[in-house]
């Protein structure tokens, strides 16, 4: 029986879709490759809006700075090192330090209406499409 | 700002999936600290919601697992991707010389970081013996 919403199936589909777009942008974001923190994924919606996502675990929302201007998005901040008050360190895999990353955005996006949030360590920047750039139907007058 | 720059680490996929889990599982990066009372593990699990975390201690093996919330990806089409989205899984064998009480394992999720604390059993804690001057 097919379920209306199968989370595993949608996860597999999402992972497949992501694999297909790995490092092969449909839109040129002017990014320097996946070696700069934070790594980003860019999604589009049917209405033409864009969503930029980045994994920023351990960084408080107030420690992330998102600057947006026409054609440009910059994500910057700093992740602090977690240190024990006392005792020793067995393993330290989680990096720390400052970061800054800029990507180019398609110009038809309405950067003034962009919103950003950090939830469960994931930064989400939503950028709607410019009103003028949205396709619209033209009424044909029967003159 | 510190001078250090934060570097990117590629996600490592978990190899042993025991054939029952679907979807991809990645190994979260961890910091592990220990003091005389407890072992503390901090694991990066971005995207995991508090209701989808499990932490289990059984026979000296600690398993941490977290599932990402996929609802946030509804109706989205990737146009550029640098990282894959998946669940998280990692196991640790704890030193058997220390005994951790499975009832005294606590966990919290803070900004995408799972913080697990395992308290050492009373008997295993070092204690200071007071020297009396007669």
């Amino acid at each position: 029986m097919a379920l209306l919403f199968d989370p595993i199936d949608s996860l597999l589909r999402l992972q497949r879709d992501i694999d297909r777009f790995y490092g092969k942008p449909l839109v040129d974001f002017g990014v320097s490759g996946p070696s700069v923190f934070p790594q980003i994924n860019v999604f589009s919606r049917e209405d033409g809006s864009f969503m930029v996502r980045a994994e920023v675990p351990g960084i408080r929302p107030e420690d992330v700075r998102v600057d947006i201007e026409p054609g440009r998005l910059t994500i910057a901040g700093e992740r602090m090192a977690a240190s024990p008050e006392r005792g020793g360190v067995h393993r330290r895999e989680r990096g720390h330090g400052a970061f800054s990353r800029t990507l180019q955005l398609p110009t038809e996006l309405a950067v003034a209406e962009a919103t950003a949030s950090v939830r469960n360590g994931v930064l989400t920047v939503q950028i709607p499409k410019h009103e003028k750039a949205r396709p619209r139907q033209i009424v044909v007058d029967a003159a | 700002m510190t001078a250090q720059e934060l570097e990117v680490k590629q996600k490592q996929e978990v190899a042993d999936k025991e054939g029952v889990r679907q979807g991809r599982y990645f190994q979260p990066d961890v910091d592990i600290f220990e003091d005389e009372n407890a072992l503390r593990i901090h694991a990066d699990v971005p995207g995991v919601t508090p209701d989808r975390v499990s932490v289990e201690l059984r026979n000296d093996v600690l398993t941490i697992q977290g599932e990402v919330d996929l609802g946030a990806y509804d109706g989205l089409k990737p146009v550029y991707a640098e990282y894959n989205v998946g669940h998280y899984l990692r196991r640790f064998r704890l030193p058997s010389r220390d005994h951790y009480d499975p009832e005294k394992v606590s966990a919290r999720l803070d900004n995408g970081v799972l913080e697990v604390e395992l308290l050492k059993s009373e008997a295993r804690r070092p204690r200071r013996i007071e020297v009396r001057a007669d």
Side-chain angles (χ1 to χ4, degrees):
Chain A
M1 194 187 83
L3 295 167
L4 274 180
F5 177 71
D6 180 348
I8 287 300
D9 196 53
S10 61
L11 175 62
L12 294 175
R13 200 166 44 238
L14 175 70
Q15 289 172 335
R16 227 175 13 243
D17 284 350
I18 285 174
D19 283 344
R20 204 143 40 95
F21 286 98
Y22 236 95
K24 288 179 286 183
L26 276 187
V27 182
D28 182 17
F29 296 101
V31 291
S32 46
S35 58
V36 184
F37 188 93
Q39 289 185 307
I40 54 158
N41 281 347
V42 185
F43 299 89
S44 70
R45 284 183 209 278
E46 217 151 278
D47 63 3
S49 64
F50 272 61
M51 186 177 96
V52 178
R53 287 219 131 153
E55 295 185 333
V56 291
I59 303 172
R60 294 174 304 174
E62 57 266 37
D63 291 333
V64 182
R65 221 184 57 229
V66 177
D67 288 306
I68 194 161
E69 58 185 286
R72 239 159 98 94
L73 171 72
T74 300
I75 299 165
E78 185 172 3
R79 180 154 101 154
M80 310 299 175
S83 293
E85 285 152 29
R86 55 186 194 282
V89 176
H90 281 289
R91 203 179 271 253
R92 199 182 267 288
E93 297 170 352
R94 303 170 60 240
H96 61 96
F99 61 89
S100 177
R101 187 159 192 198
T102 299
L103 34 152
Q104 284 169 27
L105 297 174
T107 48
E108 72 265 23
L109 296 177
V111 295
E113 295 164 44
T115 58
S117 66
V118 177
R119 198 160 295 136
N120 295 316
V122 179
L123 168 70
T124 303
V125 183
Q126 310 260 20
I127 317 160
K129 197 170 186 176
H130 227 285
E131 196 64 57
K132 278 180 281 188
R134 276 180 210 151
R136 61 195 177 96
Q137 197 174 8
I138 298 166
V139 180
V140 180
D141 286 331
Chain B
M1 290 285 241
T2 58
Q4 177 165 359
E5 246 181 69
L6 188 46
E7 284 169 12
V8 154
K9 292 179 83 175
Q10 301 298 328
K11 281 189 180 179
Q12 299 296 314
E13 197 168 346
V14 176
D16 74 322
K17 285 204 289 197
E18 298 178 348
V20 287
R21 295 183 193 88
Q22 269 194 301
R24 282 188 211 166
Y25 279 76
F26 296 94
Q27 182 172 301
D29 287 336
V30 296
D31 287 346
I32 304 179
F33 308 121
E34 183 180 1
D35 64 25
E36 65 272 27
N37 298 322
L39 190 71
R40 291 184 186 85
I41 299 174
H42 292 185
D44 283 341
V45 292
V48 171
T49 47
D51 55 320
R52 306 278 295 272
V53 176
S54 92
V55 176
E56 190 191 68
L57 176 61
R58 190 186 290 175
N59 302 331
D60 291 337
V61 176
L62 176 76
T63 303
I64 58 176
Q65 194 173 334
E67 295 186 345
V68 293
D69 173 24
L70 285 164
Y73 289 91
D74 279 354
L76 292 166
K77 210 179 76 190
V79 290
Y80 176 65
E82 289 179 351
Y83 66 88
N84 211 313
V85 177
H87 306 314
Y88 298 92
L89 174 68
R90 195 156 175 185
R91 288 198 178 91
F92 303 91
R93 182 168 291 280
L94 304 178
S96 49
R97 63 183 159 79
D98 289 323
H99 182 74
Y100 295 96
D101 190 344
E103 300 300 311
K104 286 181 178 155
V105 179
S106 63
R108 62 189 280 262
L109 201 56
D110 183 23
N111 283 315
V113 180
L114 175 64
E115 300 180 2
V116 181
E117 185 180 72
L118 299 105
L119 291 184
K120 292 180 185 177
S121 295
E122 289 292 341
R124 297 294 172 133
R125 285 188 205 168
R127 63 199 175 92
R128 178 172 292 173
I129 299 167
E130 216 174 302
V131 180
R132 278 179 307 190
D134 285 327

